[in-house]
Amino acid sequence: MATIEIKNLQKTYPNNHYAIKGIDVSIQEGEFVVLVGPSGCGKSTLLRMIAGLEDISGGDLFFNEKLMNSVHPKDRNIAMVFQNYALYPHMTVYDNMAFGLKLKKMLKAEIYQRVTDAAETLGLTEYLDRLPKEMSGGQRQRVAIGRAIVRKPDVFLFDEPLSNLDAKLRVQMRTEIKTLHRKLKNTMVYVTHDQIEAMAMGDKIVILKDGVVHQTDSPINLFRHPKNKFVAGFIGSPAMNFVSGEIVKEEGLYFVAQGMKFSIPPPLQVSMERYLGKRVDMGFRPEYVYDKGLEKERRLSTDVEIEILVVENVGSESYNHFRLNGMDTIYSYRSSSSNAHIPGEKLTVGIDLERLHFFDVETEESIL
Amino acid sequence: MVSGYGLKIKMKRNSSTKKEQQFWAFTFLFFPLMLLAIFVFIPILFSLGISFFNWELMASQQNFLGVNNYIEIFGDKIFYKAMLNTVLYTIGVVPIQTMLALFLAFVMNQKIRGRVFFRTAFYIPAVTSSVVTSIIFVAIYSKEGLLNSILGNFGFAANDWLTNPHTALISIMMLNIWTTSGYFMVSFLAGLQNIPNSLYEAAKLEGASRRQQFWHITVPMVRPVTYFVVVMSLIGCFQVFDQVFVMSDGGPNNATTTMAYYVYQNAFRYFRLGYGAATAIVLAGIIMIVTVIQKKYFPPNPY
């Protein structure tokens, strides 16, 4: 068990490339934290700095309030699960799991106990004398997790552990890792580039881009209250729609764009005042677009006429892609499959006024 | 109708391409095969043939001896001496050279200063003519040579390394270890670069020291390369000839006569071509047996 405190952490490479530009994250004991971001955002580098596999160029890293910057990886009491599993191909499953314990000169009986316990938890008991090459990808990843468990570490680190697995197995392993976390209650730090995986697994999600933290929050808060346009577009699938427009004043403030005119919801009337006559980006999620002919309860925006271009039917729901008044951008709108649309269909929709997001064009910060 | 016609044309074109491909494949294979036949396969069969004769270059009719040459070999004390020397030589050279090559590769694979310089330096003996390196070592090993002058600084008496029966073979072994370690280092380097870095990282997190990483990860992971290196150097050692020829002529008192050198001696010094051929065949047989044993008990990739 451990708390992790990351303070103004930096990573610079000799060619003056900044991979991590001063990151602050604090991780509570037993928390499951996901580091997520597009490739090259520094999430793996950050994880490897926590592990001690990368040197820290600046800032401080604490485990349980103890400075870890120059502590050797083996003395940090961490275990890491790698994307390519990193199993020793010449050792059996048992030996793979026992390797670290043997190095610690632990008693044979104790090693046996720990390995068989872990194998039981992970359903690997009957595979203990197999070699990694005789196992499937999912089983190999379980062995890698087992190798981490037997060491009883304070912190588990996962570096994109599921990206080499197929989609179905990935969802299954996701649940298994979460179940394991509930059972062991260890601090876990998990890196992924997949925002759905992040949302599904994290107690807390750290969104990184270009070596900077954009937002740290719970999944639901990230979805409801993104701090900036990047987070808003990154979280959610299909992604949030953005429309660029202007704020005008009549009796109250309005957002005007491409033949659309929405009155700004009351809570935002005051803060939007300073954007009067300026351009802002408006964001709305595909989930909050409604067919005006069907939805009568919610406070919807004025009518928006759209023509459906493409329909993706994924079973329980459909993603309808459309263009707005001849603009190039393609927007999406989620409907239930029972209300399926067809390409070429014209309809009138409205957007839930409670669920609009506005962003400053220059800073891209959310206007609250 | 139309589609059937199209299909027919397509099939015809395919088969003609295949024929054409085969033609060119065999054309390209023919010339190297012919060269190999002239310089390798036919000589092997020919020497197998003459090993049953008392073959003489000038004679108009060759005297058939049956297996008598082979019977003579098994009573030949010098042949046994040559065999013992070859085995000693192999036992001395192969393990040291393999371990040294792996060690050099392991060090050269680290991020150290002057890595390119060291790699080149270790590899140069491998691309230098063995006659040249042998002549240089004759000078180094001579009574007034470099080795004695260095050892003299530490108070050792001068030794004539190549004419002393106790040190002659070891001296040649050392030369060979030096020249071939760099060569095999390159093979190991290629093998090392195929080991995923994450294995070392995982081991590092589990508390493995550099040395433990070497023994528990590097050594088992380069096993296929080790197999290749051991086979190649076993064969090379059993056939060692040029260094002996240049440095010691098999002397003193047959202390450095190896099997390959003994083959040469019989065939081209004493002109006993039949007997020489028979010793060559026995040598080939021994190499084959050793390689088969190695493959059976130390397979290249058990996992």
Side-chain angles (χ1 to χ4, degrees), chain A residues 49-209:
Chain A
M49 284 161 88
I50 298 174
L53 295 172
E54 297 276 353
D55 293 333
I56 292 170
S57 316
D60 291 323
L61 170 71
F62 298 94
F63 286 2
N64 291 329
E65 283 143 36
K66 216 178 121 209
L67 189 65
M68 283 287 143
N69 286 30
S70 47
V71 173
H72 191 276
K74 73 171 169 27
D75 302 321
R76 295 188 184 195
N77 204 15
I78 45 166
M80 186 154 163
V81 177
F82 293 82
Q83 180 178 353
N84 64 358
Y85 325 130
L87 298 179
Y88 312 119
H90 53 285
M91 294 184 200
T92 61
V93 169
Y94 183 93
D95 288 333
N96 260 289
M97 292 206 251
F99 183 64
L101 306 181
K102 283 181 188 163
L103 291 178
K104 277 191 193 163
K105 304 216 156 49
M106 194 177 276
L107 287 175
K108 269 202 172 148
E110 169 80 7
I111 295 177
Y112 178 82
Q113 190 61 41
R114 285 198 188 188
V115 172
T116 46
D117 283 353
E120 182 121 358
T121 309
L122 295 162
L124 289 169
T125 308
E126 55 190 304
Y127 304 108
L128 281 175
D129 46 11
R130 291 225 191 151
L131 289 171
K133 70 163 184 192
E134 297 163 336
M135 308 183 81
S136 69
Q139 290 169 328
R140 283 184 212 182
Q141 196 52 283
R142 262 189 218 121
V143 178
I145 294 169
R147 187 169 68 179
I149 294 176
V150 293
R151 298 185 48 226
K152 302 195 172 160
D154 288 337
V155 180
F156 281 85
L157 305 175
F158 295 89
D159 190 4
E160 306 217 21
L162 307 183
S163 7
N164 284 3
L165 304 179
D166 64 54
K168 196 178 169 194
L169 203 53
R170 204 149 55 209
V171 175
Q172 188 192 331
M173 287 299 289
R174 211 152 83 181
T175 322
E176 283 187 29
I177 294 177
K178 275 301 274 183
T179 314
L180 193 71
H181 177 242
R182 267 189 40 205
K183 189 177 160 198
L184 300 176
K185 299 185 174 65
N186 284 69
T187 310
M188 295 190 179
V189 185
Y190 187 104
V191 164
T192 178
H193 62 268
D194 180 350
Q195 55 95 9
I196 297 180
E197 202 169 290
M199 296 290 273
M201 300 185 77
D203 296 331
K204 183 155 89 189
I205 298 176
V206 180
I207 297 188
L208 290 157
K209 191 192 166 209

Side-chain angles (χ1 to χ4, degrees), chain B residues 159-180:
Chain B
N159 174 26
D160 205 344
W161 295 89
L162 289 169
T163 55
N164 180 343
H166 298 294
T167 56
L169 190 63
I170 290 178
S171 303
I172 298 177
M173 284 158 65
M174 305 237 281
L175 161 66
N176 201 340
I177 290 168
W178 174 71
T179 51
T180 44

Side-chain angles (χ1 to χ4, degrees), chain A residues 236-243 283-290 306-312 318-324 329-335 341 349-351:
Chain A
S237 172
M240 186 185 276
N241 301 300
F242 296 104
V243 184
F284 60 97
R285 292 199 182 276
E287 289 82 355
Y288 303 128
V289 178
Y290 296 93
I306 63 167
E307 184 180 334
I308 306 287
L309 281 175
V310 176
V311 177
E312 288 173 10
S318 309
Y319 305 133
N320 308 285
H321 301 285
F322 62 91
R323 281 207 175 102
L324 271 178
T329 325
I330 293 177
Y331 296 96
S332 47
Y333 140 52
R334 192 170 80 174
S335 65
H341 298 292
V349 295
I351 302 161

